[in-house]
Amino acid sequence: MPELYLFIVILLFVLAISDLIVGVSNDAVNFLNSAIGSRVASRNVIMIVASLGIFVGATFSSGMMEVARKGIFNPQFFFFAEIMVIFLAVMLTDIILLDLFNTFGMPTSTTVSIVFELLGAAVAVSVLKILAAGDGMDTLGQYINTSSAIAIISGIFLSVGIAFAIGAILQYLSRLLFTFEYKKRIPWVGALWGGVALTILTFFLIFKGAKGASFISDEVLGWIKANTALLIGISLVFWIIVMQILVVLKVNILRLIVLFGTFSLAMAFAGNDLVNFIGVPIAGFESYMAWSGSGEEAGQYSMEVLQRPVRTRTYMLLLAGLIMILTLWLSRKSRSVTETEVNLGRQSEGAERFSPNMLARGIVRYTRLMGAGFQRIIPNRLLRKTNNRFEPMKPSDAAEDQAAFDLVRAAVNLTVASMLISFATSLKLPLSTTYVSFMVAMGTSLADRAWGRESAVYRVAGVLNVIGGWFGTAIIAFSVSATFAWLIFQFGVWAIGGLVIAAVFFISRTFLIHQRKERRKEAREAATGRRRMPAQELQAETATYIAGTLDQVRTLFRQSVEGLVTEDLRLLSDVSAQMQALEERHEDLKYRLVSSIQKVEEDDTEISRLYLLVYDLEQDLLQSVRLVTDACRDYVRNSLVPFSPGQQEQLRELTRAVERFLELVARALHTGHPDHAVQILQEKPGLLQHIEELLNDQVRGLRQRTYGNRNTMLFFSLQLETKDIVAVAARFVKLYRRHQEAEGMTHPLLFSR
């Protein structure tokens, strides 16, 4: 039996390493968002600064470890064996949950996840103990630290509104002070503003954060507490003087503030959130050490030892900090999560990730009405003066090199978030860094008028999606952790082995999903981030792109018909997956649309119009192909009457004709030769006539009851969609031929894949 619990302790630390990796991948957005969004420095410089903050902050988190030991449940009511069940269920749940959010690039709260996982597992084990003892459920309250749990949960969710409001107010005042042309204002207000910001960061990170440091003695802490006011005054004067000197030397002090804030927020993150990743394994290790020296049975040893305050060993904290730093540099999933928050807060318009929903539309509509009402009250002169201060600078020609937002907003984001998180850390409250950082960023975005008429509904929908994910985190964490605890409690080693295997399988699957998403994103960035190109080169590229689409459509059409005739459901399922990939490729074209048009060198409206029509025609084409693939799959999946030999031959004959036509169209687009276009336009009427004859044959067969009702109706649908596919393919040729004639191109275009 001792060997089993030693194995569980080792497993907890292995899971802790994995949890550090997936946790930092999600939480990196909290301290990287502002620096990366404002492009304050190169990515390597930002990462170095953040890494230093994490390493220092890791040593300040010792006091937070008590949350895992006694913050959620009362350990004196549990035995050692039961505590290990709770801790193991919590760690397994946390890894799976955080990895899921990382895969889809959604920021969530590691604090909320660990709190609700502890609560769920503790409740599950408590209920099992109560049932075994024959007690009533009214005794559940003695097992759960209700007052502490309510305080922690209330603080987490209350921080959402507070962070949003404070971020919005301070950003509004800062923008009034600096405007978007902040470089002109810095010489006379920058030193005072920067001095206050850096003093706030210094106070909360050094004076308050020192309380949790594992290496600072009680005497030093007492001296800091007794001289807090003096230290604040000295800090303020020091930073104002330093800022003024830098202003005189023409140094951009906002860059210094943002980098200092990045260090501060990374330090606050490590100090506040390290408990989420290693608090449970360290508590498990302490429990094992106490039990192993007691000589009692695992099911009889009370865990009162967890009530005692313990300072975590510094080497454990530093080792955890090192793992976090390595993850920060190596994790690709952290970049996905960061991009979500940066895009929701960016100042410029562009492609939006989230689709509008009813609630987002309602919020935007009623907010506009309220805003219009306030504008009627405010004097026009004051309104005009205020609006002028919120007038963004005109974008430069190199639009792709612009930052998502400027340094003023980045500095406010970091200062406010660091202040709130560090203050909570000093009170030993596990405030959610994700909630605070995200809501501060959204508040400053709103105050900065980044959510204009063109983007507001999409940004609000994105915020609602993220917040909805937060509530989902709490529900999933509680229920899954409770389920895991029940399984381990009931089935012991078998459940542990099964859950570990399931976790490994799940993480492997999400890794593959994320890899696929990354490849798509890289392809999209490669397409949208290129040099400017001549109109003829852009035309050649779009023609090659459509030729590739037609090649894929030809394959999908053939496989769909073959799967229908042979009733091969596996083939049809594979076709459906290929169809989805083709539709995702079309979505990439939408993202490239505006960017590619902006990269045309000449003032050529024709090539822009060509690109828009290509996108529109491809959408029509894919809609028809999707109807064909879905209809074939549903027919076979429902096990309906198979097609007669005559119908099967007609379908195959139709497929061969369509394949040949689409191949000709693709070849014409590849070569751009006028003779190929003429050949296609000559063959189109014959193919359409052939489809009409097949339709007439089906009508006769239906009247004579030679064919079944359902397969005949499916045949009708396939033939009608085939007509649309042929018509759209021919329109591509007409479109490019017309463009050639309009541009006076008498020679063939040379296209290459």
Side-chain angles (χ1 to χ4, degrees):
M1 187 63 72
E3 292 78 11
L4 171 62
Y5 290 109
L6 177 60
F7 169 75
I8 291 177
V9 170
I10 295 172
L11 180 58
L12 283 175
F13 277 100
V14 172
L15 294 174
I17 295 173
S18 302
D19 205 30
L20 279 167
I21 294 171
V22 297
V24 174
S25 296
N26 194 279
D27 277 2
V29 63
N30 301 330
F31 48 87
L32 294 179
N33 165 55
S34 297
I36 291 176
S38 62
R39 299 195 178 183
V40 65
S42 67
R43 189 175 185 92
N44 286 341
V45 171
I46 294 171
M47 298 289 276
I48 291 171
V49 171
S51 299
L52 291 173
I54 289 176
F55 192 75
V56 175
T59 66
F60 280 55
S61 62
S62 178
M64 293 298 297
M65 297 300 162
E66 294 180 15
V67 174
R69 292 196 296 266
K70 58 181 181 179
I72 303 301
F73 55 85
N74 296 314
Q76 67 271 26
F77 290 98
F78 294 89
F79 298 119
F80 172 70
E82 298 161 348
I83 284 290
M84 298 306 283
V85 169
I86 293 173
F87 289 162
L88 192 54
V90 166
M91 294 305 295
L92 286 168
T93 304
D94 206 48
I95 291 172
I96 294 173
L97 181 61
L98 295 181
D99 187 70
L100 179 65
F101 275 85
N102 292 345
T103 299
F104 294 100
M106 294 289 284
T108 191
S109 171
T110 55
T111 304
V112 168
S113 65
I114 202 72
V115 166
F116 278 90
E117 285 156 5
L118 283 167
L119 186 60
V123 167
V125 173
S126 300
V127 169
L128 291 171
K129 285 172 63 68
I130 290 171
L131 293 176
D135 297 330
M137 285 299 169
D138 57 326
T139 61
L140 180 62
Q142 71 182 12
Y143 294 93
I144 306 301
N145 190 345
T146 310
S147 59
S148 176
I150 291 176
I152 292 171
I153 295 169
S154 300
I156 289 172
F157 287 102
L158 188 62
S159 67
V160 172
I162 293 175
F164 184 85
I166 294 178
I169 293 170
L170 292 183
Q171 176 59 33
Y172 186 82
L173 296 175
S174 298
R175 188 61 70 191
L176 282 176
L177 181 64
F178 284 101
T179 74
F180 280 92
E181 298 183 13
Y182 57 86
K183 292 182 180 179
K184 297 179 180 179
R185 307 273 176 167
I186 284 179
W188 60 276
V189 295
L192 178 60
W193 189 86
V196 172
L198 291 176
T199 299
I200 290 173
L201 295 172
T202 302
F203 172 71
F204 282 106
L205 288 181
I206 304 301
F207 306 150
K208 291 291 187 181
K211 292 182 179 180
S214 59
F215 56 84
I216 295 182
S217 64
D218 293 336
E219 290 76 14
V220 175
L221 291 175
W223 185 87
I224 291 175
K225 183 177 181 180
N227 296 276
T228 298
L230 176 63
L231 292 172
I232 291 175
I234 294 173
S235 176
L236 179 60
V237 173
F238 171 77
W239 283 121
I240 289 177
I241 294 174
V242 170
M243 291 294 98
Q244 188 60 53
I245 293 173
L246 293 176
V247 168
V248 173
L249 296 175
K250 305 297 183 182
V251 175
N252 189 340
I253 62 171
L254 290 179
R255 291 187 180 275
L256 175 64
I257 295 171
V258 172
L259 289 175
F260 188 90
T262 300
F263 173 87
S264 303
L265 196 53
M267 184 175 166
F269 155 75
N272 192 78
D273 277 17
L274 191 56
V275 62
N276 302 337
F277 313 128
I278 68 171
V280 168
I282 287 177
F285 174 73
E286 292 171 354
S287 302
Y288 174 79
M289 294 301 293
W291 166 75
S292 61
S294 68
E296 296 185 30
E297 292 291 329
Q300 301 297 323
Y301 181 69
S302 175
M303 294 310 301
E304 293 181 8
V305 65
L306 291 181
Q307 288 188 302
R308 303 171 191 168
V310 179
R311 281 186 179 269
T312 306
R313 295 170 178 83
T314 302
Y315 75 86
M316 287 187 175
L317 299 176
L318 294 179
L319 181 60
L322 181 61
I323 295 172
M324 295 165 77
I325 292 169
L326 291 175
T327 302
L328 185 68
W329 282 88
L330 301 176
S331 173
R332 295 179 65 87
K333 289 187 177 182
S334 65
R335 299 192 181 191
S336 301
V337 182
T338 302
E339 287 168 4
T340 298
E341 188 167 319
V342 169
N343 287 336
L344 285 175
R346 71 180 186 274
Q347 195 72 33
S348 59
E349 309 295 345
E352 303 291 347
R353 173 181 171 183
F354 297 94
S355 301
N357 53 52
M358 184 182 298
L359 182 57
R361 295 187 187 102
I363 290 174
V364 171
R365 186 178 299 112
Y366 287 112
T367 301
R368 284 185 53 237
L369 292 175
M370 290 176 60
F374 280 118
Q375 287 181 1
R376 296 190 188 98
I377 300 173
I378 301 173
N380 289 334
R381 182 179 177 183
L382 179 60
L383 191 62
R384 284 195 300 271
K385 191 173 182 179
T386 302
N387 288 337
N388 289 338
R389 290 183 173 273
F390 283 84
E391 188 67 30
M393 298 175 63
K394 292 182 180 180
S396 63
D397 293 334
E400 66 274 12
D401 295 328
Q402 287 186 325
F405 41 81
D406 67 6
L407 293 172
V408 174
R409 178 149 37 118
V412 173
N413 285 346
L414 292 163
T415 303
V416 175
S418 294
M419 178 179 66
L420 294 175
I421 294 166
S422 301
F423 180 69
T425 303
S426 70
L427 299 178
K428 297 186 180 179
L429 290 175
L431 196 69
S432 169
T433 56
T434 301
Y435 287 12
V436 171
S437 300
F438 182 83
M439 294 311 296
V440 166
M442 295 305 101
T444 58
S445 301
L446 178 65
D448 228 12
R449 302 186 182 181
W451 298 356
R453 288 289 297 272
E454 188 170 337
S455 63
V457 69
Y458 301 99
R459 306 286 176 85
V460 173
V463 173
L464 293 176
N465 273 276
V466 172
I467 294 177
W470 294 348
F471 286 100
T473 299
I475 296 171
I476 295 170
F478 181 91
S479 56
V480 174
S481 183
T483 303
F484 284 4
W486 177 81
L487 289 171
I488 297 171
F489 194 93
Q490 295 286 19
F491 303 104
V493 177
W494 294 104
I496 294 173
L499 291 175
V500 170
I501 293 172
V504 171
F505 174 77
F506 182 86
I507 293 173
S508 301
R509 291 289 298 171
T510 57
F511 175 79
L512 295 176
I513 292 172
H514 187 263
Q515 286 289 95
R516 187 162 59 247
K517 289 177 60 180
E518 283 296 298
R519 285 194 293 269
R520 281 190 59 214
K521 183 172 70 69
E522 288 171 359
R524 182 186 303 166
E525 290 175 350
T528 57
R530 298 163 304 177
R531 60 179 173 79
R532 293 180 179 275
M533 59 182 67
Q536 182 168 321
E537 187 176 339
L538 182 59
Q539 173 184 318
E541 181 191 80
T542 57
T544 302
Y545 171 86
I546 291 301
T549 298
L550 291 173
D551 286 337
Q552 290 180 272
V553 167
R554 181 161 52 91
T555 301
L556 291 174
F557 191 90
R558 182 188 70 251
Q559 291 178 340
S560 295
V561 172
E562 187 62 26
L564 176 66
V565 170
T566 60
E567 298 186 87
D568 188 342
L569 187 56
R570 179 176 296 181
L571 175 60
L572 292 171
S573 297
D574 183 59
V575 168
S576 181
Q578 294 179 54
M579 186 67 220
Q580 183 177 352
L582 188 57
E583 289 169 334
E584 290 174 352
R585 183 170 176 261
H586 175 68
E587 284 298 302
D588 291 344
L589 180 64
K590 179 174 69 175
Y591 286 111
R592 294 164 51 187
L593 185 62
V594 175
S595 177
S596 294
I597 291 175
Q598 290 174 339
K599 289 177 172 59
V600 178
E601 288 182 344
E602 297 88 354
D603 184 16
D604 190 341
T605 57
E606 278 300 314
I607 190 61
S608 301
R609 181 173 177 273
L610 172 71
Y611 207 116
L612 291 168
L613 291 175
V614 163
Y615 174 79
D616 183 55
L617 288 176
E618 187 186 45
Q619 184 165 284
D620 291 343
L621 176 67
L622 296 186
Q623 285 176 350
S624 296
V625 179
R626 168 57 79 178
L627 289 171
V628 169
T629 59
D630 286 354
C632 293
R633 186 186 60 173
D634 291 343
Y635 192 89
V636 175
R637 191 162 53 183
N638 293 332
S639 300
L640 298 177
V641 178
F643 283 76
S644 68
Q647 288 177 312
Q648 292 180 14
E649 181 55 35
Q650 288 178 335
L651 280 172
R652 288 191 168 114
E653 182 184 347
L654 175 63
T655 301
R656 288 191 292 269
V658 171
E659 275 196 284
R660 181 175 179 277
F661 183 79
L662 295 179
E663 187 176 7
L664 287 174
V665 174
R667 188 188 310 160
L669 293 174
H670 275 307
T671 63
H673 201 289
D675 292 346
H676 291 156
V678 172
Q679 181 184 2
I680 289 167
L681 297 179
Q682 288 175 345
E683 291 200 11
K684 176 189 170 186
L687 179 55
L688 293 178
Q689 179 61 36
H690 178 62
I691 295 174
E692 286 292 336
E693 292 174 358
L694 292 177
L695 281 170
N696 293 333
D697 180 75
Q698 292 300 306
V699 171
R700 286 193 297 270
L702 187 62
R703 288 175 177 174
Q704 298 170 5
R705 302 185 182 276
T706 305
Y707 304 138
N709 293 342
R710 292 189 181 276
N711 56 23
T712 301
M713 294 307 298
L714 175 59
F715 208 125
F716 284 156
S717 298
L718 295 179
Q719 288 169 319
L720 292 174
E721 295 304 331
T722 301
K723 288 181 65 176
D724 291 341
I725 292 172
V726 170
V728 172
R731 286 177 63 189
F732 278 121
V733 176
K734 290 182 180 179
L735 178 64
Y736 281 97
R737 185 184 183 191
R738 189 185 311 122
H739 182 75
Q740 279 184 302
E741 293 172 352
E743 294 294 321
M745 300 177 187
T746 57
H747 57 83
L749 294 174
L750 299 179
F751 300 143
S752 61
R753 282 190 179 275

